[in-house]
């Protein structure tokens, strides 16, 4: 697997998240926008950390179903990236977790109307201590 072009990565063996602050897409952004984008990348990678360390084998097998239940934008971006079947659950969780964290920072709690209950409950289960 190549990380060329990645904004960030969760390195499970080291329990470490890296964000590529010099990614070409981040160049030229004003400080506020850059901070928001980096925060979203970090939340996405934290979602990966949660999914990789806490998903069950059943969760992983449900990847195609979870992708079908994901919000349209999430579904489209994951399909466009052509992730292998075994990574679908991880990507759905990472994307949804980042969206939920952005909402939380804006003071919005609970399941948004655009998010399927099954996907929401999975993310909530993974975030429990």
């Amino acid at each position: 697997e190549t990380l060329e072009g990645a904004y960030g990565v969760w390195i499970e063996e080291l329990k470490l998240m890296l964000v590529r602050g010099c990614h070409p897409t981040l160049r030229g952004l004003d400080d506020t926008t850059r901070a928001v984008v980096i925060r979203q990348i970090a939340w996405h990678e934290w979602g990966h950390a949660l999914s990789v360390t806490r998903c069950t084998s059943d969760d992983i097998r449900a990847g195609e179903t979870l992708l079908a239940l994901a919000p349209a934008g999430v579904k489209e971006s994951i399909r466009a990236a052509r992730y292998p079947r075994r990574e679908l659950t991880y990507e759905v969780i990472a994307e949804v977790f980042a969206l939920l964290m952005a909402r939380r920072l804006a003071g919005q709690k609970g399941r948004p109307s655009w998010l399927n209950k099954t996907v929401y409950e999975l993310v909530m289960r993974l975030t429990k201590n």
Side-chain angles (χ1 to χ4, degrees), residues 25-43:
T25 304
L26 300 175
R27 291 187 190 137
L29 298 178
D30 62 80
D31 290 344
T32 302
T33 303
R34 181 179 169 82
V36 168
V37 171
I38 288 175
R39 182 176 62 215
Q40 286 304 109
I41 294 167
W43 286 128

mmCIF file of all heavy atoms in Angstrom, residues 25-43:
data_model
loop_
_atom_site.group_PDB
_atom_site.id
_atom_site.type_symbol
_atom_site.label_atom_id
_atom_site.label_comp_id
_atom_site.label_asym_id
_atom_site.label_seq_id
_atom_site.Cartn_x
_atom_site.Cartn_y
_atom_site.Cartn_z
ATOM 1 N N THR A 25 -2.029 20.140 -1.389
ATOM 2 C CA THR A 25 -3.371 20.725 -1.319
ATOM 3 C C THR A 25 -3.474 21.781 -0.220
ATOM 4 O O THR A 25 -4.305 22.680 -0.302
ATOM 5 C CB THR A 25 -4.410 19.615 -1.076
ATOM 6 O OG1 THR A 25 -4.279 18.640 -2.106
ATOM 7 C CG2 THR A 25 -5.815 20.154 -1.089
ATOM 8 N N LEU A 26 -2.634 21.676 0.793
ATOM 9 C CA LEU A 26 -2.689 22.626 1.905
ATOM 10 C C LEU A 26 -1.926 23.913 1.627
ATOM 11 O O LEU A 26 -2.082 24.893 2.344
ATOM 12 C CB LEU A 26 -2.146 21.965 3.184
ATOM 13 C CG LEU A 26 -2.902 20.728 3.653
ATOM 14 C CD1 LEU A 26 -2.195 20.097 4.845
ATOM 15 C CD2 LEU A 26 -4.331 21.077 4.000
ATOM 16 N N ARG A 27 -1.119 23.889 0.585
ATOM 17 C CA ARG A 27 -0.333 25.093 0.259
ATOM 18 C C ARG A 27 -1.249 26.210 -0.219
ATOM 19 O O ARG A 27 -2.195 26.000 -0.958
ATOM 20 C CB ARG A 27 0.686 24.779 -0.832
ATOM 21 C CG ARG A 27 1.776 23.863 -0.352
ATOM 22 C CD ARG A 27 2.857 23.690 -1.392
ATOM 23 N NE ARG A 27 3.734 22.614 -0.964
ATOM 24 C CZ ARG A 27 4.197 21.676 -1.748
ATOM 25 N NH1 ARG A 27 3.905 21.675 -3.031
ATOM 26 N NH2 ARG A 27 4.975 20.735 -1.273
ATOM 27 N N GLY A 28 -0.961 27.405 0.234
ATOM 28 C CA GLY A 28 -1.711 28.568 -0.213
ATOM 29 C C GLY A 28 -3.000 28.824 0.551
ATOM 30 O O GLY A 28 -3.678 29.817 0.284
ATOM 31 N N LEU A 29 -3.340 27.957 1.481
ATOM 32 C CA LEU A 29 -4.544 28.185 2.277
ATOM 33 C C LEU A 29 -4.264 29.225 3.355
ATOM 34 O O LEU A 29 -3.159 29.277 3.893
ATOM 35 C CB LEU A 29 -5.005 26.886 2.953
ATOM 36 C CG LEU A 29 -5.411 25.728 2.046
ATOM 37 C CD1 LEU A 29 -5.790 24.518 2.882
ATOM 38 C CD2 LEU A 29 -6.557 26.125 1.130
ATOM 39 N N ASP A 30 -5.263 30.029 3.679
ATOM 40 C CA ASP A 30 -5.084 30.953 4.795
ATOM 41 C C ASP A 30 -5.021 30.136 6.084
ATOM 42 O O ASP A 30 -5.396 28.959 6.118
ATOM 43 C CB ASP A 30 -6.217 31.993 4.841
ATOM 44 C CG ASP A 30 -7.578 31.354 5.058
ATOM 45 O OD1 ASP A 30 -7.895 31.021 6.215
ATOM 46 O OD2 ASP A 30 -8.311 31.168 4.070
ATOM 47 N N ASP A 31 -4.531 30.741 7.142
ATOM 48 C CA ASP A 31 -4.297 30.021 8.396
ATOM 49 C C ASP A 31 -5.556 29.356 8.956
ATOM 50 O O ASP A 31 -5.507 28.227 9.435
ATOM 51 C CB ASP A 31 -3.703 30.959 9.454
ATOM 52 C CG ASP A 31 -2.279 31.374 9.136
ATOM 53 O OD1 ASP A 31 -1.645 30.717 8.276
ATOM 54 O OD2 ASP A 31 -1.801 32.345 9.747
ATOM 55 N N THR A 32 -6.676 30.052 8.881
ATOM 56 C CA THR A 32 -7.926 29.509 9.427
ATOM 57 C C THR A 32 -8.369 28.286 8.639
ATOM 58 O O THR A 32 -8.700 27.249 9.228
ATOM 59 C CB THR A 32 -9.036 30.579 9.412
ATOM 60 O OG1 THR A 32 -8.593 31.700 10.177
ATOM 61 C CG2 THR A 32 -10.334 30.048 9.978
ATOM 62 N N THR A 33 -8.370 28.386 7.332
ATOM 63 C CA THR A 33 -8.783 27.262 6.491
ATOM 64 C C THR A 33 -7.835 26.088 6.663
ATOM 65 O O THR A 33 -8.268 24.938 6.785
ATOM 66 C CB THR A 33 -8.841 27.689 5.010
ATOM 67 O OG1 THR A 33 -9.725 28.804 4.889
ATOM 68 C CG2 THR A 33 -9.311 26.550 4.118
ATOM 69 N N ARG A 34 -6.561 26.373 6.702
ATOM 70 C CA ARG A 34 -5.552 25.321 6.884
ATOM 71 C C ARG A 34 -5.792 24.584 8.210
ATOM 72 O O ARG A 34 -5.742 23.360 8.261
ATOM 73 C CB ARG A 34 -4.157 25.936 6.849
ATOM 74 C CG ARG A 34 -3.034 24.948 7.005
ATOM 75 C CD ARG A 34 -1.676 25.697 6.937
ATOM 76 N NE ARG A 34 -0.598 24.863 7.323
ATOM 77 C CZ ARG A 34 0.014 23.993 6.549
ATOM 78 N NH1 ARG A 34 -0.381 23.846 5.303
ATOM 79 N NH2 ARG A 34 1.012 23.256 6.995
ATOM 80 N N ALA A 35 -6.079 25.323 9.265
ATOM 81 C CA ALA A 35 -6.333 24.710 10.567
ATOM 82 C C ALA A 35 -7.569 23.816 10.523
ATOM 83 O O ALA A 35 -7.571 22.718 11.089
ATOM 84 C CB ALA A 35 -6.488 25.784 11.644
ATOM 85 N N VAL A 36 -8.619 24.261 9.853
ATOM 86 C CA VAL A 36 -9.850 23.467 9.744
ATOM 87 C C VAL A 36 -9.581 22.183 8.958
ATOM 88 O O VAL A 36 -10.005 21.098 9.365
ATOM 89 C CB VAL A 36 -10.982 24.291 9.083
ATOM 90 C CG1 VAL A 36 -12.160 23.406 8.697
ATOM 91 C CG2 VAL A 36 -11.434 25.408 10.008
ATOM 92 N N VAL A 37 -8.860 22.294 7.860
ATOM 93 C CA VAL A 37 -8.564 21.112 7.039
ATOM 94 C C VAL A 37 -7.696 20.127 7.818
ATOM 95 O O VAL A 37 -7.962 18.924 7.823
ATOM 96 C CB VAL A 37 -7.904 21.518 5.700
ATOM 97 C CG1 VAL A 37 -7.404 20.297 4.943
ATOM 98 C CG2 VAL A 37 -8.881 22.321 4.844
ATOM 99 N N ILE A 38 -6.677 20.619 8.491
ATOM 100 C CA ILE A 38 -5.806 19.729 9.265
ATOM 101 C C ILE A 38 -6.592 19.068 10.399
ATOM 102 O O ILE A 38 -6.409 17.885 10.683
ATOM 103 C CB ILE A 38 -4.562 20.474 9.776
ATOM 104 C CG1 ILE A 38 -3.628 20.752 8.586
ATOM 105 C CG2 ILE A 38 -3.841 19.685 10.861
ATOM 106 C CD1 ILE A 38 -2.418 21.596 8.917
ATOM 107 N N ARG A 39 -7.496 19.810 11.010
ATOM 108 C CA ARG A 39 -8.324 19.225 12.075
ATOM 109 C C ARG A 39 -9.179 18.090 11.513
ATOM 110 O O ARG A 39 -9.297 17.031 12.119
ATOM 111 C CB ARG A 39 -9.196 20.301 12.710
ATOM 112 C CG ARG A 39 -10.045 19.774 13.853
ATOM 113 C CD ARG A 39 -10.836 20.853 14.541
ATOM 114 N NE ARG A 39 -11.762 21.476 13.609
ATOM 115 C CZ ARG A 39 -12.098 22.761 13.624
ATOM 116 N NH1 ARG A 39 -11.594 23.584 14.519
ATOM 117 N NH2 ARG A 39 -12.955 23.242 12.755
ATOM 118 N N GLN A 40 -9.755 18.282 10.334
ATOM 119 C CA GLN A 40 -10.568 17.232 9.716
ATOM 120 C C GLN A 40 -9.723 16.007 9.372
ATOM 121 O O GLN A 40 -10.161 14.872 9.557
ATOM 122 C CB GLN A 40 -11.285 17.758 8.473
ATOM 123 C CG GLN A 40 -12.453 18.662 8.780
ATOM 124 C CD GLN A 40 -13.464 18.007 9.677
ATOM 125 O OE1 GLN A 40 -13.601 18.365 10.839
ATOM 126 N NE2 GLN A 40 -14.204 17.042 9.175
ATOM 127 N N ILE A 41 -8.520 16.244 8.880
ATOM 128 C CA ILE A 41 -7.615 15.127 8.584
ATOM 129 C C ILE A 41 -7.314 14.360 9.867
ATOM 130 O O ILE A 41 -7.351 13.129 9.895
ATOM 131 C CB ILE A 41 -6.306 15.638 7.940
ATOM 132 C CG1 ILE A 41 -6.597 16.241 6.567
ATOM 133 C CG2 ILE A 41 -5.268 14.515 7.843
ATOM 134 C CD1 ILE A 41 -5.428 17.039 5.989
ATOM 135 N N ALA A 42 -7.029 15.086 10.926
ATOM 136 C CA ALA A 42 -6.707 14.440 12.204
ATOM 137 C C ALA A 42 -7.891 13.627 12.712
ATOM 138 O O ALA A 42 -7.718 12.490 13.171
ATOM 139 C CB ALA A 42 -6.286 15.483 13.240
ATOM 140 N N TRP A 43 -9.109 14.164 12.620
ATOM 141 C CA TRP A 43 -10.284 13.418 13.072
ATOM 142 C C TRP A 43 -10.490 12.179 12.216
ATOM 143 O O TRP A 43 -10.861 11.116 12.710
ATOM 144 C CB TRP A 43 -11.541 14.276 13.071
ATOM 145 C CG TRP A 43 -11.604 15.274 14.185
ATOM 146 C CD1 TRP A 43 -11.839 16.621 14.061
ATOM 147 C CD2 TRP A 43 -11.439 15.039 15.593
ATOM 148 N NE1 TRP A 43 -11.828 17.208 15.303
ATOM 149 C CE2 TRP A 43 -11.581 16.262 16.258
ATOM 150 C CE3 TRP A 43 -11.178 13.895 16.351
ATOM 151 C CZ2 TRP A 43 -11.476 16.390 17.635
ATOM 152 C CZ3 TRP A 43 -11.058 14.014 17.732
ATOM 153 C CH2 TRP A 43 -11.221 15.252 18.349
#
